[in-house]
Amino acid sequence: MVDAPVVAVRGEAYREVAPELARFTVTATARDRSRETTLARLAERAAAVRVLLDRAEPTVERRETGQLRVWPETKRSGERVVAYRGSVSTTVTVGDFTALGELMLRLADQDQVEVAGPWWSLRPDSPTYREARHAAIGDALARAREYAEALGARITGLLELSDSGLSAAPPMFARAAAARGGGPGGAPPELELDPSPQPVQAAVEARFTISEPVLG
């Protein structure tokens, strides 16, 4: 029995879609000659950040306290402590971008608070990934049909289908941001953010059996 002819193809799909999540960090810092004063100021500033984030719910989907650091500053010539520094960071995840700029500015307006970000990304269960995989399979099937038709044949079956990988860009920093000064009456400034499109690429390897080619 003669084995049926086989055509092997690679199917690919590429998409650029709007991000679904924005992530940024908020870091409160404190410094004083007294360790107790440094800790008290740090706790006070971290609490102020928490209050603002509490008010921002449900815009804030998730927040995670990261590294807490408290360390002494010493003179270069010895170990005598001249001051104490402290910092605590919180990572904030937002799914609604309409108030993102305003929230970041309000946080940055706090005393001794640093804001970094946002970084854009897709949700881990984003339907974009599934759509890309389906499109890659469709591309593989279309290519196999083209090869078969070029040989005067047709596809008769699927021998193998393997996933070559699904890739997405790592979280990306804001492409552009512009701040405008406060308006009349001391209104807060406005921050415009341009979310970065998220590239998603899928690829599959497929092997199809085809009918006997017409080579004459």
Side-chain angles (χ1 to χ4, degrees):
M1 179 177 179
V2 179
D3 292 337
V6 175
V7 60
V9 296
R10 176 182 175 87
E12 298 177 322
Y14 180 84
R15 299 284 188 274
E16 281 195 356
V17 298
E20 299 168 345
L21 295 175
R23 188 174 291 107
F24 64 90
T25 60
V26 187
T27 304
T29 62
R31 181 184 184 276
D32 194 84
R33 291 184 179 182
S34 165
R35 177 165 49 192
E36 290 74 15
T37 301
T38 298
L39 294 175
R41 289 177 179 174
L42 184 61
E44 179 182 347
R45 289 163 184 167
V49 168
R50 292 185 64 87
V51 169
L52 286 176
L53 293 178
D54 287 341
R55 293 174 181 172
E57 293 181 354
T59 299
V60 174
E61 293 192 5
R62 184 173 181 176
R63 64 190 192 194
E64 303 163 279
T65 301
Q67 189 178 41
L68 168 64
R69 297 183 60 207
V70 179
W71 70 98
E73 287 185 351
T74 58
K75 281 192 172 182
R76 296 181 181 177
S77 58
E79 295 186 354
R80 187 170 71 86
V81 176
V82 296
Y84 290 89
R85 283 184 178 271
S87 67
V88 59
S89 297
T90 301
T91 301
V92 182
T93 303
V94 175
D96 181 2
F97 305 154
T98 55
L100 176 60
E102 178 185 356
L103 173 60
M104 293 180 68
L105 285 184
R106 289 187 181 278
L107 290 165
D109 193 42
Q110 301 300 299
D111 187 30
Q112 297 298 311
V113 170
E114 176 187 352
V115 177
W119 292 270
W120 311 99
S121 64
L122 297 175
R123 298 182 184 275
D125 60 349
S126 173
T128 300
Y129 298 128
R130 180 174 181 270
E131 293 168 3
R133 288 190 291 266
H134 283 200
I137 294 174
D139 182 57
L141 184 57
R143 292 188 184 193
R145 284 173 175 161
E146 289 178 2
Y147 286 127
E149 290 173 1
L151 295 170
R154 58 182 177 81
I155 293 177
T156 58
L158 173 66
L159 286 179
E160 182 180 355
L161 177 67
S162 61
D163 190 345
S164 299
L166 179 71
S167 63
M172 301 176 67
F173 193 74
R175 175 179 294 179
R180 295 200 294 266
E190 296 179 3
L191 182 67
E192 295 180 356
L193 300 173
D194 296 329
S196 298
Q198 302 298 292
V200 177
Q201 186 171 3
V204 297
E205 306 281 348
R207 297 172 68 238
F208 297 92
T209 57
I210 62 174
S211 60
E212 197 63 35
V214 179
L215 303 177

PDB file of all heavy atoms in Angstrom, residues 3 14 31 40 62 70 72 77 82 90 104 127 137 140 157 170 175 187 211:
ATOM      1  N   ASP A   3       1.747   5.013   0.621  1.00  0.00           N
ATOM      2  CA  ASP A   3       1.302   6.087   1.509  1.00  0.00           C
ATOM      3  C   ASP A   3       0.795   7.271   0.707  1.00  0.00           C
ATOM      4  O   ASP A   3       1.300   7.582  -0.380  1.00  0.00           O
ATOM      5  CB  ASP A   3       2.452   6.545   2.410  1.00  0.00           C
ATOM      6  CG  ASP A   3       2.852   5.468   3.418  1.00  0.00           C
ATOM      7  OD1 ASP A   3       2.017   4.605   3.715  1.00  0.00           O
ATOM      8  OD2 ASP A   3       4.009   5.504   3.881  1.00  0.00           O
ATOM      9  N   TYR A  14      -1.004  37.292  13.174  1.00  0.00           N
ATOM     10  CA  TYR A  14      -0.468  38.439  13.912  1.00  0.00           C
ATOM     11  C   TYR A  14      -1.580  39.441  14.120  1.00  0.00           C
ATOM     12  O   TYR A  14      -2.343  39.753  13.202  1.00  0.00           O
ATOM     13  CB  TYR A  14       0.686  39.079  13.129  1.00  0.00           C
ATOM     14  CG  TYR A  14       1.291  40.279  13.826  1.00  0.00           C
ATOM     15  CD1 TYR A  14       2.258  40.124  14.809  1.00  0.00           C
ATOM     16  CD2 TYR A  14       0.881  41.569  13.497  1.00  0.00           C
ATOM     17  CE1 TYR A  14       2.809  41.220  15.463  1.00  0.00           C
ATOM     18  CE2 TYR A  14       1.428  42.675  14.139  1.00  0.00           C
ATOM     19  CZ  TYR A  14       2.389  42.499  15.109  1.00  0.00           C
ATOM     20  OH  TYR A  14       2.923  43.581  15.738  1.00  0.00           O
ATOM     21  N   ARG A  31      12.685  60.339  54.974  1.00  0.00           N
ATOM     22  CA  ARG A  31      14.074  60.453  55.432  1.00  0.00           C
ATOM     23  C   ARG A  31      14.130  61.402  56.627  1.00  0.00           C
ATOM     24  O   ARG A  31      13.524  62.468  56.618  1.00  0.00           O
ATOM     25  CB  ARG A  31      14.980  60.985  54.323  1.00  0.00           C
ATOM     26  CG  ARG A  31      16.450  61.111  54.709  1.00  0.00           C
ATOM     27  CD  ARG A  31      17.252  61.741  53.589  1.00  0.00           C
ATOM     28  NE  ARG A  31      18.670  61.784  53.906  1.00  0.00           N
ATOM     29  CZ  ARG A  31      19.269  62.741  54.628  1.00  0.00           C
ATOM     30  NH1 ARG A  31      18.523  63.738  55.111  1.00  0.00           N
ATOM     31  NH2 ARG A  31      20.571  62.703  54.863  1.00  0.00           N
ATOM     32  N   ALA A  40       7.560  56.735  61.134  1.00  0.00           N
ATOM     33  CA  ALA A  40       6.249  57.365  61.296  1.00  0.00           C
ATOM     34  C   ALA A  40       5.828  58.098  60.024  1.00  0.00           C
ATOM     35  O   ALA A  40       4.670  57.999  59.589  1.00  0.00           O
ATOM     36  CB  ALA A  40       6.288  58.340  62.474  1.00  0.00           C
ATOM     37  N   ARG A  62      -6.667  45.778  41.151  1.00  0.00           N
ATOM     38  CA  ARG A  62      -5.759  45.029  42.021  1.00  0.00           C
ATOM     39  C   ARG A  62      -4.642  45.946  42.498  1.00  0.00           C
ATOM     40  O   ARG A  62      -4.188  46.812  41.764  1.00  0.00           O
ATOM     41  CB  ARG A  62      -5.165  43.837  41.251  1.00  0.00           C
ATOM     42  CG  ARG A  62      -4.292  42.925  42.060  1.00  0.00           C
ATOM     43  CD  ARG A  62      -3.925  41.703  41.231  1.00  0.00           C
ATOM     44  NE  ARG A  62      -3.098  40.769  41.977  1.00  0.00           N
ATOM     45  CZ  ARG A  62      -2.691  39.586  41.515  1.00  0.00           C
ATOM     46  NH1 ARG A  62      -3.061  39.214  40.297  1.00  0.00           N
ATOM     47  NH2 ARG A  62      -1.952  38.796  42.253  1.00  0.00           N
ATOM     48  N   VAL A  70      13.909  49.938  54.771  1.00  0.00           N
ATOM     49  CA  VAL A  70      14.332  50.942  55.750  1.00  0.00           C
ATOM     50  C   VAL A  70      15.816  50.705  55.989  1.00  0.00           C
ATOM     51  O   VAL A  70      16.219  49.591  56.346  1.00  0.00           O
ATOM     52  CB  VAL A  70      13.551  50.835  57.072  1.00  0.00           C
ATOM     53  CG1 VAL A  70      14.055  51.876  58.061  1.00  0.00           C
ATOM     54  CG2 VAL A  70      12.052  51.002  56.839  1.00  0.00           C
ATOM     55  N   PRO A  72      19.870  52.638  57.107  1.00  0.00           N
ATOM     56  CA  PRO A  72      20.594  53.797  57.648  1.00  0.00           C
ATOM     57  C   PRO A  72      21.547  54.380  56.609  1.00  0.00           C
ATOM     58  O   PRO A  72      22.118  53.654  55.786  1.00  0.00           O
ATOM     59  CB  PRO A  72      21.361  53.211  58.829  1.00  0.00           C
ATOM     60  CG  PRO A  72      21.620  51.792  58.425  1.00  0.00           C
ATOM     61  CD  PRO A  72      20.434  51.370  57.598  1.00  0.00           C
ATOM     62  N   SER A  77      33.403  57.808  55.840  1.00  0.00           N
ATOM     63  CA  SER A  77      34.597  57.546  56.638  1.00  0.00           C
ATOM     64  C   SER A  77      34.371  56.563  57.784  1.00  0.00           C
ATOM     65  O   SER A  77      35.318  56.167  58.461  1.00  0.00           O
ATOM     66  CB  SER A  77      35.137  58.869  57.210  1.00  0.00           C
ATOM     67  OG  SER A  77      34.147  59.506  58.003  1.00  0.00           O
ATOM     68  N   VAL A  82      23.966  58.929  59.946  1.00  0.00           N
ATOM     69  CA  VAL A  82      23.616  60.348  59.836  1.00  0.00           C
ATOM     70  C   VAL A  82      22.135  60.541  59.549  1.00  0.00           C
ATOM     71  O   VAL A  82      21.588  61.634  59.761  1.00  0.00           O
ATOM     72  CB  VAL A  82      24.463  61.038  58.744  1.00  0.00           C
ATOM     73  CG1 VAL A  82      25.933  61.022  59.121  1.00  0.00           C
ATOM     74  CG2 VAL A  82      24.254  60.366  57.378  1.00  0.00           C
ATOM     75  N   THR A  90       3.840  50.168  46.000  1.00  0.00           N
ATOM     76  CA  THR A  90       2.579  49.473  45.715  1.00  0.00           C
ATOM     77  C   THR A  90       2.388  49.405  44.207  1.00  0.00           C
ATOM     78  O   THR A  90       2.527  50.421  43.515  1.00  0.00           O
ATOM     79  CB  THR A  90       1.386  50.210  46.347  1.00  0.00           C
ATOM     80  OG1 THR A  90       1.573  50.293  47.759  1.00  0.00           O
ATOM     81  CG2 THR A  90       0.081  49.483  46.052  1.00  0.00           C
ATOM     82  N   MET A 104      -3.204  58.852  38.576  1.00  0.00           N
ATOM     83  CA  MET A 104      -1.751  58.905  38.693  1.00  0.00           C
ATOM     84  C   MET A 104      -1.280  60.289  39.149  1.00  0.00           C
ATOM     85  O   MET A 104      -0.361  60.407  39.955  1.00  0.00           O
ATOM     86  CB  MET A 104      -1.108  58.516  37.362  1.00  0.00           C
ATOM     87  CG  MET A 104      -1.330  57.058  36.986  1.00  0.00           C
ATOM     88  SD  MET A 104      -0.573  56.620  35.407  1.00  0.00           S
ATOM     89  CE  MET A 104       1.165  56.753  35.829  1.00  0.00           C
ATOM     90  N   PRO A 127      -9.471  36.942  25.177  1.00  0.00           N
ATOM     91  CA  PRO A 127      -9.933  36.186  24.000  1.00  0.00           C
ATOM     92  C   PRO A 127      -9.059  36.430  22.779  1.00  0.00           C
ATOM     93  O   PRO A 127      -9.130  35.661  21.808  1.00  0.00           O
ATOM     94  CB  PRO A 127     -11.356  36.710  23.789  1.00  0.00           C
ATOM     95  CG  PRO A 127     -11.412  38.036  24.484  1.00  0.00           C
ATOM     96  CD  PRO A 127     -10.487  37.900  25.647  1.00  0.00           C
ATOM     97  N   ILE A 137      -4.466  28.512  12.668  1.00  0.00           N
ATOM     98  CA  ILE A 137      -4.922  27.239  12.104  1.00  0.00           C
ATOM     99  C   ILE A 137      -5.572  27.476  10.747  1.00  0.00           C
ATOM    100  O   ILE A 137      -5.344  26.728   9.786  1.00  0.00           O
ATOM    101  CB  ILE A 137      -5.901  26.550  13.066  1.00  0.00           C
ATOM    102  CG1 ILE A 137      -5.177  26.134  14.346  1.00  0.00           C
ATOM    103  CG2 ILE A 137      -6.552  25.342  12.396  1.00  0.00           C
ATOM    104  CD1 ILE A 137      -6.091  25.584  15.418  1.00  0.00           C
ATOM    105  N   ALA A 140      -2.882  27.971   8.197  1.00  0.00           N
ATOM    106  CA  ALA A 140      -2.244  26.709   7.814  1.00  0.00           C
ATOM    107  C   ALA A 140      -3.117  25.936   6.832  1.00  0.00           C
ATOM    108  O   ALA A 140      -2.622  25.379   5.833  1.00  0.00           O
ATOM    109  CB  ALA A 140      -1.966  25.862   9.058  1.00  0.00           C
ATOM    110  N   GLY A 157      -7.071  14.751   4.542  1.00  0.00           N
ATOM    111  CA  GLY A 157      -7.045  14.473   5.973  1.00  0.00           C
ATOM    112  C   GLY A 157      -5.952  15.248   6.690  1.00  0.00           C
ATOM    113  O   GLY A 157      -5.063  15.830   6.065  1.00  0.00           O
ATOM    114  N   PRO A 170       5.914  41.938  26.065  1.00  0.00           N
ATOM    115  CA  PRO A 170       5.927  42.230  27.513  1.00  0.00           C
ATOM    116  C   PRO A 170       5.221  43.540  27.780  1.00  0.00           C
ATOM    117  O   PRO A 170       5.015  44.341  26.856  1.00  0.00           O
ATOM    118  CB  PRO A 170       7.426  42.317  27.829  1.00  0.00           C
ATOM    119  CG  PRO A 170       8.073  42.684  26.534  1.00  0.00           C
ATOM    120  CD  PRO A 170       7.253  42.020  25.468  1.00  0.00           C
ATOM    121  N   ARG A 175       3.215  54.993  25.592  1.00  0.00           N
ATOM    122  CA  ARG A 175       3.815  55.519  24.376  1.00  0.00           C
ATOM    123  C   ARG A 175       3.952  57.028  24.434  1.00  0.00           C
ATOM    124  O   ARG A 175       4.941  57.594  23.986  1.00  0.00           O
ATOM    125  CB  ARG A 175       2.949  55.127  23.173  1.00  0.00           C
ATOM    126  CG  ARG A 175       3.438  55.728  21.874  1.00  0.00           C
ATOM    127  CD  ARG A 175       2.579  55.289  20.714  1.00  0.00           C
ATOM    128  NE  ARG A 175       2.712  53.857  20.471  1.00  0.00           N
ATOM    129  CZ  ARG A 175       2.038  53.226  19.510  1.00  0.00           C
ATOM    130  NH1 ARG A 175       1.187  53.892  18.754  1.00  0.00           N
ATOM    131  NH2 ARG A 175       2.197  51.944  19.336  1.00  0.00           N
ATOM    132  N   ALA A 187      -8.038  74.046  39.405  1.00  0.00           N
ATOM    133  CA  ALA A 187      -8.427  72.701  38.971  1.00  0.00           C
ATOM    134  C   ALA A 187      -7.180  71.871  38.717  1.00  0.00           C
ATOM    135  O   ALA A 187      -6.158  72.392  38.268  1.00  0.00           O
ATOM    136  CB  ALA A 187      -9.272  72.797  37.702  1.00  0.00           C
ATOM    137  N   SER A 211      -4.845  14.165  -2.023  1.00  0.00           N
ATOM    138  CA  SER A 211      -5.091  13.171  -3.050  1.00  0.00           C
ATOM    139  C   SER A 211      -3.908  13.124  -4.007  1.00  0.00           C
ATOM    140  O   SER A 211      -3.018  13.979  -3.960  1.00  0.00           O
ATOM    141  CB  SER A 211      -6.385  13.505  -3.803  1.00  0.00           C
ATOM    142  OG  SER A 211      -6.282  14.790  -4.427  1.00  0.00           O
TER     143      SER A 211
END
